[in-house]
Amino acid sequence: LFFPFNQQLRAIARKEAKMFLRDTSQAIQLMLLLVLTAVYVRNLGAMQKLTFENESHLHWWQIILGTANVTFGCCILSAIATRFVFPSISLEGQAIVPLKASPISMDQFLNSKALIWFIPLCLLSCVLFVTGSIAVSSNPAFIGVSGLLGALMAMGVVRLAVGFGAIYSQFD
């Protein structure tokens, strides 16, 4: 569905999805991280309901909450990437030997891994950053900027996780 033209990328994505869905501990951990994220957004919305006697204090409080939303959203995104993206190269195990003999180069393989993991983490980070900004009643420009920051942050975190996962891989 996501990769209609590139057969190699589609095959790697299918194998990655099977490896992820086969391990029930990863699905349970993903559910726990998503529940933690929902609690975070709910608490962020509750912090917005504080009352101030001065309008300028409310404006500064919204700026602080918007910045905290982006900061904590980056921490949640990094935790998810550390748990799921970083070990994805090591999870190849003994299948790395035939992969090295295949016509795909290691650069193409790592770029494919990064692209495959970028799509769900980009969606998650954009949803997290935008809902957090909406929860703190930010203005529409800041909501758009936070969505853009979510996409950029997802790209950086996924690239770092795949790169460090390749450097510190353990195939046993």
Side-chain angles (χ1 to χ4, degrees), residues 21 24 28 54 71 73 77 85 93 115 120 155 159 164 171:
L21 294 175
T24 56
I28 292 170
N54 192 347
T71 304
L77 181 65
V85 182
L115 181 62
M155 181 172 50
R159 290 286 182 172
F164 281 122
F171 297 113

Side-chain angles (χ1 to χ4, degrees), residues 86-109:
F86 177 76
S88 69
I89 304 294
S90 294
L91 288 175
E92 293 294 327
Q94 297 302 319
I96 199 74
V97 175
L99 185 65
K100 286 184 178 181
S102 69
I104 187 171
S105 70
M106 272 309 199
D107 288 340
Q108 290 174 328
F109 174 70

Side-chain angles (χ1 to χ4, degrees), residues 15-59:
K15 186 178 79 53
E16 193 74 24
K18 283 181 184 178
M19 280 185 0
F20 183 78
L21 294 175
R22 193 177 307 149
D23 190 7
T24 56
S25 67
Q26 285 189 347
I28 292 170
Q29 289 174 0
L30 180 63
M31 294 297 280
L32 287 173
L33 284 169
L34 291 177
V35 167
L36 174 71
T37 303
V39 168
Y40 157 73
V41 171
R42 173 71 178 105
N43 287 338
L44 195 62
M47 291 179 71
Q48 173 59 30
K49 294 184 170 109
L50 293 175
T51 57
F52 294 99
E53 57 274 344
N54 192 347
E55 185 67 32
S56 67
H57 292 156
L58 178 64
H59 175 70

Side-chain angles (χ1 to χ4, degrees), residues 71-144:
T71 304
F72 292 132
C74 290
C75 291
I76 291 172
L77 181 65
S78 297
I80 292 172
T82 301
R83 175 58 192 104
F84 299 113
V85 182
F86 177 76
S88 69
I89 304 294
S90 294
L91 288 175
E92 293 294 327
Q94 297 302 319
I96 199 74
V97 175
L99 185 65
K100 286 184 178 181
S102 69
I104 187 171
S105 70
M106 272 309 199
D107 288 340
Q108 290 174 328
F109 174 70
L110 293 177
N111 285 332
S112 298
K113 281 273 195 184
L115 181 62
I116 290 165
W117 279 105
F118 170 71
I119 293 170
L121 284 182
C122 181
L123 290 173
L124 178 71
S125 67
C126 287
V127 166
L128 176 64
F129 284 31
V130 168
T131 55
S133 294
I134 291 171
V136 297
S137 303
S138 295
N139 59 12
F142 191 78
I143 292 171

Side-chain angles (χ1 to χ4, degrees), residues 148-164:
L148 179 65
L149 281 173
L152 292 174
M153 198 64 189
M155 181 172 50
V157 167
V158 166
R159 290 286 182 172
L160 280 171
V162 168
F164 281 122

